[in-house]
Amino acid sequence: MLKPIATATRELVNLDGVWRFAIDSRLPESPWTAQLDTPLEAAVPASYNDLFTDPEIRNHVGWVYYQRPVRVPRGWTDDRVLLRFGAATHAARVYVDDRLIGEHIGGYTPFDVDVTEHVTAGAEFRLTVAVSGDLSNETVPPGKIEVTGAGRRKQVYYHDFYNYAGLARSVWLHSLPQVAIDDIVVTTGHVGTVGSVHYVTHTTGGDEVRVRLRDARGVIVAEGSGREGTLEVQDVTLWKPGAAYLYDLEIELLTGAAVVDTYALPVGVRTVEVRGYEFLINGEPFYFTGFGKHEDTPVRGKGHDNAYLVHDFQLLEWIGANSFRTSHYPYAEEVLEFADRHGIVVIDETAAVGLNMGVVGGLAGKPPFPTFSEQYANDRTQGAHAQHLRELIERDRNHPSVVMWCIANEPASNEDGAREYFEPLVNLARELDPTRPLTYAVVLFATFTNDQIIDLFDVVSLNRYYGWYVAGGDLETAREYLARDLQGWIDRVEKPIMMTEYGADTEPGVHSVWDKVWTEEYQTAFLEAHHEVFDRFPQFVGEQVWNFADFATDNGLHRVDGNKKGIFTRDRKPKSAATSLRRRWRGLDGRKPGTTEH
């Protein structure tokens, strides 16, 4: 699915702003058939939960309604007209005037709704969007809805971040020619100084496809024709971590001699490969430094914000990070585009978090019932997971910054049924994109002795909390546990091993001369203890701290105002550990610790 852009044959109108807003319990039946009877307005893009002071809205279970008038540009008479939603968390129904004209399930991937037959160029229509944040065992991520003794519906979920809902990404009205370029798939490679850009185009008709590749100065470096082909680039400049270089692939669709559609796609020429214990980018060993992140900011919730986007990447550069994981869902397309332009490496993750009943059992890891069962992760869950995986890969496979797919966070890979659940998903991911390695974030309960699916994947990505949830406050024991764990995985599989989560909750401003948990000093000591162990193992290929910044959670007894494992506060102020990480990461310069080779 191509992102809408303005070209010589395409136009778009941004619909962001302030929309009428109401929750279903305060509206009559079929509220989309008239102007919403509500005094409330909500910002788009933004999650709605933190916008209002009313707790009934913040904790609402059910549908909410957004509404605004939209005028179609008068010059679109002969074009197809579509609505594009960057995301609607977690399900959406789209109404034009009185009619339902589109639906989508999945809260973090975009979708288009064709409204051509329902609108008129130059005229106005009433756009109403119903959005539900409800989760069940057949959604991704999963959850359940309980009814309290007072009769109130309550959302329960098994992931440790707040279940923000709403229209968190931009909404667009855009035009397409009747005969159009529908999709483009690009794969790149290089042999010596000669690069290759293989392209496949999908169209809704037309006679001929012409392609041109321009360098960063706008000079044409290769040309071709046909719906599929390979362009050779002499003296290619590779896309590299920390040194991004992008070409522009221009595609024209012709009917007869007339150009009926055009599209331009940024392309970074680079390769990704796993060889033994090494992770290679452009044939060179790569060592990940960075974070698990969240789309999470005050007031906006998961609403995309370009100011935070720029500032967060500035902080990544300041601290010396070269990568991040899109934990625990696909981020806005603008984030990946920014990473493409600035040379930041991305592990791109699905929204499959919470597929683990062992988490409900606490540190004992004993599930109340099997995770992979009709009660919880069943065939319908797997189907939703597959659809989400398909939409993620089809959206992001052309981004050079994306070097690996993470198809789940902390699933119950130690439980029976895990293989039957995940093997078809792995096969699907490899079919959709055979060029990138696959991984999943391995939960603490899944060890090198009992994990049942690691052979299906390319990289071992460990989430471990020795010194926090296990051996809390005891860094000596934490080192022993961690070293034993890493050695066990090395002995079991010949695959690259990295840490995708390790961290300690830290309250800003709490200090102590002793190793006391929750202090800024303990967070620093915790990280340094882990780094000392990482550096013992040449098979270890990366460290991503949990988390980049503090983030909102459904505050239970073990959380005070959210998860505090951030190296930065929620408003992006550095904690003491930030300077320690900066010294380490800026000194590595892409090297594996303990080596002098790049």
Side-chain angles (χ1 to χ4, degrees), residues 47-50 57-62 88-91 107-108 131-136 139-145 154-166 168 294-296 300-302 329 351 353 551-555 570:
S47 305
Y48 67 78
N49 309 79
D50 291 352
I57 298 176
R58 176 174 171 78
N59 300 313
H60 182 66
V61 177
T89 310
H90 296 279
Y108 301 100
V131 182
S132 170
D134 296 1
L135 299 173
S136 74
T139 62
V140 176
K144 66 177 181 178
I145 295 174
K154 178 182 178 182
Q155 178 71 69
V156 177
Y157 48 94
Y158 305 110
H159 53 265
D160 187 27
F161 56 94
Y162 191 79
N163 187 43
Y164 282 112
H294 266 298
E295 290 186 313
D296 177 277
R300 302 163 187 80
K302 294 201 175 305
Y329 37 82
V353 55
F551 57 92
T553 63
D554 185 12
N555 294 324
R570 199 180 186 207

Side-chain angles (χ1 to χ4, degrees), residues 338-502:
F338 204 89
D340 290 343
R341 296 194 298 271
H342 292 271
I344 296 294
V345 169
V346 178
I347 300 174
D348 208 356
E349 185 167 285
T350 74
V353 55
L355 291 171
N356 198 324
M357 280 291 98
V359 174
V360 180
L363 288 179
K366 295 180 180 178
F369 48 80
T371 298
F372 304 102
S373 63
E374 187 61 29
Q375 284 177 279
Y376 195 58
N378 55 36
D379 291 346
R380 295 175 295 282
T381 316
Q382 186 189 54
H385 194 162
Q387 180 60 27
H388 183 94
L389 182 62
R390 182 182 298 278
E391 291 182 3
L392 166 67
I393 293 177
E394 290 180 349
R395 190 196 75 167
D396 292 348
R397 59 190 168 194
N398 292 329
H399 289 285
S401 60
V402 175
V403 301
M404 185 158 54
W405 306 113
C406 183
I407 72 172
N409 180 74
E410 297 190 349
S413 58
N414 55 305
E415 286 190 38
D416 291 342
R419 193 174 192 88
E420 291 78 4
Y421 182 91
F422 278 102
E423 190 163 11
L425 298 175
V426 169
N427 293 338
L428 173 62
R430 295 201 189 280
E431 175 189 336
L432 293 169
D433 178 19
T435 71
R436 288 178 176 86
L438 300 180
T439 193
Y440 62 103
V442 185
V443 71
L444 186 65
F445 310 137
T447 69
F448 56 84
T449 62
N450 67 13
D451 184 277
Q452 299 188 27
I453 62 173
I454 191 60
D455 61 294
L456 300 174
F457 294 82
D458 304 299
V459 175
V460 181
S461 300
L462 300 177
N463 291 3
R464 295 295 188 259
Y465 289 94
Y466 302 124
W468 190 252
Y469 296 123
V470 177
D474 183 353
L475 293 180
E476 182 178 354
T477 300
R479 287 188 188 92
E480 294 175 7
Y481 285 173
L482 177 59
R484 191 184 313 154
D485 198 351
L486 296 181
Q487 188 62 57
W489 286 101
I490 290 167
D491 292 342
R492 177 174 171 179
V493 294
E494 187 178 347
K495 300 175 187 288
I497 299 170
M498 67 179 294
M499 194 72 78
T500 38
E501 287 187 26
Y502 65 110

Side-chain angles (χ1 to χ4, degrees), residues 161-174:
F161 56 94
Y162 191 79
N163 187 43
Y164 282 112
L167 294 176
R169 297 176 189 162
S170 289
V171 182
W172 299 86
L173 186 74
H174 65 106

Side-chain angles (χ1 to χ4, degrees), residues 162-435:
Y162 191 79
N163 187 43
Y164 282 112
L167 294 176
R169 297 176 189 162
S170 289
V171 182
W172 299 86
L173 186 74
H174 65 106
S175 69
L176 287 179
Q178 295 293 337
V179 177
I181 301 162
D182 192 49
D183 199 9
I184 305 166
V185 181
V186 170
T187 54
T188 65
H190 65 94
V191 177
T193 61
V194 180
S196 62
V197 176
H198 182 79
Y199 67 90
V200 179
T201 60
H202 301 274
T203 71
T204 58
D207 299 327
E208 182 185 359
V209 172
R210 292 195 307 223
V211 299
R212 289 186 293 269
L213 191 70
R214 297 183 185 271
D215 66 15
R217 298 169 299 164
V219 176
I220 297 174
V221 295
E223 296 181 273
S225 62
R227 284 176 166 77
E228 180 174 358
T230 301
L231 305 178
E232 286 195 352
V233 187
Q234 302 297 323
D235 298 319
V236 67
T237 301
L238 299 179
W239 187 97
K240 296 180 179 180
Y245 189 93
L246 296 175
Y247 294 87
D248 277 322
L249 182 66
E250 298 176 350
I251 298 183
E252 293 179 332
L253 178 63
L254 287 80
T255 297
V259 175
V260 295
D261 193 21
T262 65
Y263 196 89
L265 183 73
V267 172
V269 180
R270 62 104 183 95
T271 59
V272 176
E273 180 187 359
V274 166
R275 185 188 305 155
Y277 291 108
E278 293 183 312
F279 193 99
L280 307 174
I281 299 180
N282 298 326
E284 298 181 358
F286 179 73
Y287 189 84
F288 295 82
T289 59
F291 301 94
K293 289 181 91 273
H294 266 298
E295 290 186 313
D296 177 277
T297 56
V299 182
R300 302 163 187 80
K302 294 201 175 305
H304 177 70
D305 184 286
N306 284 324
Y308 270 99
L309 168 66
V310 172
H311 188 57
D312 283 359
F313 272 73
Q314 283 287 296
L315 292 177
L316 291 174
E317 180 181 349
W318 175 84
I319 206 169
N322 61 24
S323 65
F324 62 87
R325 176 170 62 120
T326 70
S327 44
H328 300 298
Y329 37 82
Y331 292 175
E333 290 171 279
E334 292 84 353
V335 177
L336 298 183
E337 292 167 346
F338 204 89
D340 290 343
R341 296 194 298 271
H342 292 271
I344 296 294
V345 169
V346 178
I347 300 174
D348 208 356
E349 185 167 285
T350 74
V353 55
L355 291 171
N356 198 324
M357 280 291 98
V359 174
V360 180
L363 288 179
K366 295 180 180 178
F369 48 80
T371 298
F372 304 102
S373 63
E374 187 61 29
Q375 284 177 279
Y376 195 58
N378 55 36
D379 291 346
R380 295 175 295 282
T381 316
Q382 186 189 54
H385 194 162
Q387 180 60 27
H388 183 94
L389 182 62
R390 182 182 298 278
E391 291 182 3
L392 166 67
I393 293 177
E394 290 180 349
R395 190 196 75 167
D396 292 348
R397 59 190 168 194
N398 292 329
H399 289 285
S401 60
V402 175
V403 301
M404 185 158 54
W405 306 113
C406 183
I407 72 172
N409 180 74
E410 297 190 349
S413 58
N414 55 305
E415 286 190 38
D416 291 342
R419 193 174 192 88
E420 291 78 4
Y421 182 91
F422 278 102
E423 190 163 11
L425 298 175
V426 169
N427 293 338
L428 173 62
R430 295 201 189 280
E431 175 189 336
L432 293 169
D433 178 19
T435 71

